[in-house]
Amino acid sequence: AAAGKLLVVPVDGSHWLSMREVLEILGQKGHRVVVVAPEVTLHIKPAKNFVMKMYPVPFTQEEMDELF
């Protein structure tokens, strides 16, 4: 983060909910934040202060929603 660039590979759940606030603040302060996440998630969603890079997974959002 000292160089102004941060790569984040989060896991869905409570850690992401707390981390997202920090990433948004870092983005507002001029840091370039890139979040790498699966296409299907419960809580990891794009925001205006960081870049989202998505990767494919072998299940759909509907299948994940059914499990939860």
Side-chain angles (χ1 to χ4, degrees):
K5 297 179 182 179
L6 186 62
L7 176 64
V8 181
V9 184
V11 176
D12 239 330
S14 62
H15 290 93
W16 168 250
L17 299 175
S18 300
M19 186 186 317
R20 180 185 174 114
E21 291 181 38
V22 173
L23 297 177
E24 293 224 22
I25 292 169
L26 287 171
Q28 290 171 1
K29 293 186 177 211
H31 294 270
R32 177 159 167 78
V33 180
V34 177
V35 176
V36 179
E39 289 176 331
V40 177
T41 68
L42 292 174
H43 302 291
I44 304 171
K45 304 294 182 217
K48 66 178 184 174
N49 291 318
F50 54 81
V51 175
M52 287 286 295
K53 300 289 184 178
M54 309 296 271
Y55 59 88
V57 292
F59 49 88
T60 66
Q61 185 70 49
E62 292 79 23
E63 292 171 329
M64 181 133 162
D65 291 343
E66 284 178 21
L67 292 173
F68 289 94

